[in-house]
Amino acid sequence: MFDRNHLRQRLRSVGLYTAVLAKWTLLSVVVGGLCGAVGAVFHLSVHYASETREAYPWLLWCLPLAGLMIVGAYKLMGTEGLGTNDIIDAVHEDKRIPFLLLPSIFLGTLLTHLCGGSAGREGAALQIGGTLGQRVGRFLRLDDQDLRVATLSGMAACFSALFGTPLTAVIFAVMGISVGTLYHAALLPCLMSALAAFGVSLALGVEPTRFSVAAPEIAVGTFVRVLPLAVLFALVSILFCTFIHAAEHWMQRRFPNPWVRVALGGFAVIALTYLAGTRDYNGAGMEVIAAAVEQGTARPAAFLLKLLFTAVTLAAGFKGGEVVPSFFVGATFGCAAAPLLGLPAGFGAALGLVSVFCGVTNSPVASVFLSVELFGSQGLWYFALACGVSYMLSGYSGLYSSQTILYSKLKASYINVHANSRPAAPEQGTPEGPETAKHT
């Protein structure tokens, strides 16, 4: 018998799904297009700034002045103290992001790279993308839940535009904010935004980041060698996060005045540059990463020096990100350590790049996608093993303290803690510890 009510319900359901798909397609294309254009301009600007610094080495002496300009710009725009953690909080707590954070981080990162500070670009990408995504969502009067998805879409889009890794950007956005869960509703919007941004950035002349590396053939002996190397990568990721956060806390406690702190930090980077006898550790250091991966060459102490340069730069108040420095640290360490275990230096550098990234961001699935987008699918099993080991053994360290880790890394226990906390109770067999109540 024909049931009209059932038919109406089905038609309403079809209409609802169609309307939602149309809404997110339109919003994703708009967010992706904006983030792709702004991200491309940002990428090209940072690239030009780096080339200018290399052409005029005396710009290094302007670093303290650049730091003062950054502090002044953030104060003037009312964005002092805001960063990537606030973008993550916007997803967790519907925190409002001031639009002026976009020009603040754009200018701050540009000045840092122009004058030789050691920093990356992804911090700026997440902040620019999150700001644009939330702004578009507010303009369209989206509700609280949809606004969070719009923010995630912007983060994925700008990350994709800068690095040319749309799948990594999507998985990092939907799985890296709250480790242990997947924002399924955000998957398609983030994917469409990331692909749109990637297409726009390509059209504007941004070359995607790619490396050429030969992976060994699949063999038991190679897996046996990769395993201890992955353990070392986990330890390096812990060292990276611990040193970055310790330097920041020490600098803020020792020099509470931001003007003094950034000026002293600038002079410290200048002194370190002359003591190191090379400018390899200024800026992002993508040339050193490429040499480690594609040529298998890196100084044995390069990873420690880059960590020191980056910690001083960011702790002083200069702007940028920590992910590209983590690429540098992982690649140079892997390049030096892999031959000791009988593995090719370049392949070890590639393993180190993705494994240390995995450890510092607590994002194993995104890291596996990153290995494919950067190096191709050859050796995928080795990268997956290294990322799995690095994720488990890196503990609860992380670059972003606002990142939540919902499940224990050692037991099938719900813990819901923030990165850099110490959830001891679940490892002892208690389903939920005091940290759960604190952060839930």
Side-chain angles (χ1 to χ4, degrees), residues 156-383:
C158 208
F159 194 105
S160 172
L162 258 68
F163 291 97
T165 55
L167 292 178
T168 302
V170 171
I171 300 303
F172 181 75
V174 301
M175 295 185 70
I177 303 303
S178 296
V179 181
T181 188
L182 170 65
Y183 288 95
H184 289 86
L187 184 61
L188 183 60
C190 286
L191 178 60
M192 290 190 291
S193 292
L195 291 175
F198 181 52
V200 171
S201 67
L202 285 177
L204 294 178
V206 176
E207 292 292 332
T209 303
R210 298 290 185 269
F211 299 101
S212 176
V213 62
E217 295 294 329
I218 298 298
V220 174
T222 306
F223 280 108
V224 172
R225 292 179 175 88
V226 168
L227 186 60
L229 190 60
V231 174
L232 295 177
F233 293 145
L235 296 176
V236 170
S237 68
I238 294 173
L239 174 66
F240 189 95
C241 293
T242 301
F243 198 72
I244 291 290
H245 292 311
E248 180 182 9
H249 295 156
W250 185 84
M251 287 283 283
Q252 290 180 351
R253 185 175 64 252
R254 186 68 179 83
F255 306 104
N257 187 309
W259 303 94
V260 174
R261 184 167 64 247
V262 78
L264 290 177
F267 283 116
V269 172
I270 294 173
L272 287 171
T273 302
Y274 281 93
L275 287 172
T278 177
R279 295 175 185 259
D280 285 348
Y281 311 110
N282 303 108
M286 291 299 295
E287 297 81 5
V288 177
I289 297 172
V293 173
E294 298 183 339
Q295 301 171 23
T297 58
R299 295 183 178 91
F303 77 100
L304 288 174
L305 289 171
K306 184 62 173 179
L307 176 55
L308 177 60
F309 271 72
T310 304
V312 172
T313 298
L314 298 179
F318 292 94
K319 301 302 176 182
E322 303 93 343
V323 165
V324 174
S326 80
F327 288 174
F328 187 117
V329 169
T332 53
F333 176 81
C335 184
L340 302 178
L341 293 168
L343 292 170
F347 175 63
L351 282 175
L353 187 154
V354 297
S355 299
V356 173
F357 169 77
C358 175
V360 301
T361 60
N362 294 296
S363 52
V365 180
S367 300
V368 174
F369 275 99
L370 180 66
S371 72
V372 175
E373 292 188 305
L374 292 185
F375 310 117
S377 60
Q378 186 182 12
L380 177 60
W381 290 359
Y382 297 129
F383 286 105

